[in-house]
Amino acid sequence: MRLKIDRKPEKVLPDTRRVIARFFFNGEERAVALIKRILALEKDEVFAIISPLLQDFSKRHRSITQKLMRHCERVRHYIELAGANFNELDEYCKLLIGSYFTHEYSIESAAFFNPSIVPDPDQTNLEEGQLRVIISFRAVGEGHVSSVVFRRAIIDRDGSISVIRAGKYIDEAEKIHNLVYHKRQFLRKAIEADISEFFIQVVADKLEDRFDYNQLKGLVYEARDKTSDPKEIAQYKMILALSDSYRRITFSKDTDISDRVIFPISDFESKGIEDARFVKFTDDNGRTIYYATYTAYDGVHIMPKLLKTTDFYEFRTSPLHGSGARNKNLALFPRKINGKYVMLSRIDGWNNYLMYSDNINEWEDPVKIQGPEYSWEFVQMGNCGSPIETECGWLVITHAVGPMRRYTIGASLLDIDDPSKEIGRLKDPLIMPNPDEREGYVPNVVYSCGSIIHNGELIIPYGHSDHSSGFASVNLKTLLDRLKSGG
């Protein structure tokens, strides 16, 4: 018999009005031809076009002129090819050129789902029994490109949830390359990313043990310019794209959490940043760090990556390495166990594995700890976010796939000192898609990337058929008692 759950009335729906101004490029030949047409305009014609454009789009974007100027700077090379001196162009001409290389992208136009939840670093000005939380979502727009977006919410003492309305504007982060790379880790990840060892070695032979982005870019460009073979050029582009997977991104301090979107930047993320699993991690010194494991996808390769922040304004990203850092579904435990980092993974696509590591970015020797047992999980099982520490053991919310590719949410309990030991697992799903949740972008799916405990209730945010999101809760003691009795 299934446990009783409480579905909350609060729903989070995709909002097509949430748009960002992105760089738009149609190829070198067309770029030069377009710029020549713009340069042929008289000054008063330029002003007559750009002035109403700025008035219109300034209502939809914060600092639209900065974005247009940045996009104009990105085509500086093609401006020179069109016969103009970039430094001699006036401001309005640059803004107009930038506008032709800009388009609006609705980040939530297709779907808004797969949430994870963590306590907000700011817990001030709350009533007794309330908890302020940050919820991350996978937002999907045109072309099925996924990004990470956020909402803030308040959980009351009775478990009711109020998601704070999103702000008017939404912005991408500023992109900043990391200063230093470690050669051994970088080369290892390049091989894992299916880059030819021959092309890796061409560049690697000239690298020091530690190097920065500009050194790598110079060597890649030097090697790339010596060939006209498209396949060889593609390999060098992949090397440079991999370096872009290590970066630091920052948001302005005057942005609300709902204003910030982590959008794909590197080629290895070109088809999306999928299913971020955030966890509040406590280190050996008692400090709090927020980590998120996520999947970078370019349409062919899957690259597990790690996101790190302490304040949700600045984030650092880096790839995860090793034989255990493969496929999707990695979830970090919220603290070390026996002095080591611990991670759940699903390297074969259908069983749960456990890994230990001294280095949070390197994961080897995965050990299988769970596999499908019941009919509703015969196809595959995996985690729905990081394990939650309880007095009875590690509570792991799971997802499973059964007949008709129906996704359900379950739960299991692992030993607190040795999480390779399963204490119990629910014999029936905790959450199944009901009639109001089964229609959407991908039908018959409920899925979560992280839950939270508050006032004796387990609160599970979850996606409805890859379209929108809602919340459910279950009494924690009742759930743990069921798990301790075997499920």
Side-chain angles (χ1 to χ4, degrees):
M1 183 178 296
R2 293 174 57 205
L3 288 172
K4 181 182 182 298
I5 64 164
D6 177 23
R7 281 178 163 87
K8 308 296 183 182
E10 188 81 357
K11 299 289 186 291
V12 190
L13 302 172
D15 185 349
T16 57
R17 296 170 298 177
R18 306 272 288 166
V19 295
I20 55 177
R22 304 219 75 232
F23 182 67
F24 173 72
F25 191 73
N26 256 339
E28 298 183 3
E29 183 179 355
R30 292 178 67 174
V32 173
L34 171 59
I35 292 168
K36 285 182 177 179
R37 295 189 185 101
I38 299 169
L39 294 174
L41 297 172
E42 298 293 336
K43 284 191 175 182
D44 57 344
E45 292 179 294
V46 169
F47 183 79
I49 299 170
I50 193 61
S51 179
L53 204 67
L54 293 176
Q55 293 179 43
D56 182 13
F57 284 89
S58 64
K59 301 180 181 69
R60 297 167 64 84
H61 301 277
R62 182 190 288 110
S63 305
I64 186 64
T65 56
Q66 292 181 15
K67 294 179 175 64
L68 299 186
M69 281 295 191
R70 190 159 57 242
H71 294 170
C72 180
E73 178 70 37
R74 289 185 64 172
V75 296
R76 180 175 187 148
H77 173 68
Y78 304 104
I79 292 173
E80 304 285 349
L81 290 179
N85 186 322
F86 179 85
N87 294 324
E88 293 178 359
L89 298 179
D90 67 26
E91 181 181 17
Y92 291 117
C93 185
K94 290 180 179 178
L95 288 170
L96 185 58
I97 291 173
S99 73
Y100 278 98
F101 290 91
T102 303
H103 75 126
E104 285 191 329
Y105 184 90
S106 178
I107 62 169
E108 301 172 14
S109 59
F112 198 74
F113 58 111
N114 292 4
S116 74
I117 186 170
V118 290
D120 194 314
D122 177 16
Q123 295 293 325
T124 60
N125 301 319
L126 293 175
E127 297 178 6
E128 185 178 349
Q130 288 185 323
L131 178 69
R132 183 179 291 116
V133 295
I134 291 175
I135 311 170
S136 69
F137 296 87
R138 178 179 171 185
V140 176
E142 177 188 353
H144 196 79
V145 177
S146 303
S147 57
V148 178
V149 296
F150 303 95
R151 295 289 191 274
R152 185 171 273 118
I154 301 291
I155 306 176
D156 285 330
R157 68 185 72 189
D158 63 356
S160 61
I161 300 170
S162 301
V163 178
I164 299 170
R165 186 174 179 179
K168 179 180 178 182
Y169 299 111
I170 187 163
D171 283 322
E172 293 181 79
E174 182 181 357
K175 174 183 167 187
I176 306 174
H177 287 108
N178 279 1
L179 296 178
V180 176
Y181 304 90
H182 298 276
K183 182 175 178 178
R184 181 183 63 83
Q185 287 187 347
F186 184 83
L187 298 182
R188 181 179 180 184
K189 196 61 188 179
I191 294 171
E192 291 176 4
D194 293 331
I195 301 173
S196 167
E197 291 190 43
F198 170 78
F199 295 102
I200 296 170
Q201 207 59 47
V202 168
V203 177
D205 286 343
K206 299 180 182 180
L207 290 172
E208 301 294 333
D209 287 340
R210 294 165 67 89
F211 59 93
D212 63 26
Y213 177 78
N214 288 327
Q215 289 172 325
L216 177 66
K217 184 170 70 172
L219 292 174
V220 169
Y221 282 178
E222 178 185 333
R224 190 187 64 181
D225 290 345
K226 293 178 180 178
T227 180
S228 59
D229 187 328
K231 292 183 179 179
E232 294 182 4
I233 292 173
Q235 288 287 313
Y236 289 126
K237 288 178 67 175
M238 286 180 68
I239 295 173
L240 206 56
L242 177 61
S243 72
D244 218 11
S245 295
Y246 302 77
R247 64 177 184 270
R248 185 173 81 250
I249 56 177
T250 58
F251 292 91
S252 172
K253 291 294 190 292
D254 64 358
T255 58
D256 180 68
I257 188 72
S258 66
D259 296 343
R260 305 167 209 159
V261 54
I262 301 177
F263 199 85
I265 294 176
S266 76
D267 287 348
F268 273 99
E269 298 174 347
S270 60
K271 290 299 181 181
I273 297 173
E274 301 181 358
D275 301 342
R277 286 163 160 77
F278 276 88
V279 61
K280 180 182 177 182
F281 184 90
T282 303
D283 71 10
D284 294 337
N285 298 314
R287 295 172 299 192
T288 294
I289 304 167
Y290 294 89
Y291 287 109
T293 53
Y294 70 93
T295 303
Y297 185 56
D298 65 359
V300 178
H301 305 95
I302 292 172
M303 180 185 289
K305 297 182 69 175
L306 188 70
L307 196 63
K308 174 184 177 181
T309 185
T310 57
D311 57 8
F312 288 86
Y313 286 103
E314 178 172 300
F315 298 82
R316 290 179 178 267
T317 70
S318 57
L320 295 173
H321 311 271
S323 60
R326 295 181 182 276
N327 217 308
K328 302 181 179 183
N329 242 227
L330 276 76
L332 184 69
F333 280 65
R335 65 169 174 85
K336 289 182 177 180
I337 300 175
N338 300 322
K340 293 182 179 291
Y341 295 102
V342 193
M343 183 88 79
L344 291 176
S345 70
R346 199 188 65 196
I347 61 170
D348 59 10
W350 58 304
N351 297 292
N352 272 339
Y353 289 77
L354 185 75
M355 302 177 290
Y356 291 89
S357 180
D358 294 317
N359 185 325
I360 199 169
N361 286 98
E362 296 193 29
W363 297 93
E364 299 286 359
D365 304 319
V367 175
K368 179 182 171 181
I369 61 168
Q370 291 177 313
E373 289 185 13
Y374 305 112
S375 61
W376 49 278
E377 57 185 17
F378 275 178
V379 175
Q380 71 183 53
M381 69 176 301
N383 68 73
C384 273
S386 292
I388 301 171
E389 187 169 7
T390 75
E391 61 182 11
C392 301
W394 294 105
L395 176 61
V396 179
I397 306 305
T398 58
H399 75 265
V401 183
M404 297 299 295
R405 198 172 176 260
R406 181 172 63 182
Y407 276 68
T408 55
I409 292 175
S412 60
L413 190 65
L414 307 179
D415 185 84
I416 198 71
D417 297 315
D418 183 2
S420 66
K421 298 178 181 178
E422 183 183 82
I423 296 171
R425 185 194 308 192
L426 291 185
K427 295 179 179 179
D428 299 293
L430 188 61
I431 304 175
M432 301 173 65
N434 68 17
D436 295 331
E437 299 166 349
R438 66 180 302 185
E439 309 296 350
Y441 197 54
V442 181
N444 304 306
V445 173
V446 287
Y447 195 93
S448 177
C449 288
S451 305
I452 198 168
I453 293 173
H454 181 60
N455 287 346
E457 294 285 309
L458 174 70
I459 297 171
I460 307 170
Y462 65 101
H464 303 157
S465 296
D466 286 13
H467 171 262
S468 55
S469 294
F471 303 86
S473 69
V474 62
N475 181 268
L476 179 63
K477 183 180 184 305
T478 302
L479 174 59
L480 292 176
D481 286 347
R482 177 71 63 90
L483 290 168
K484 286 188 296 182
S485 67

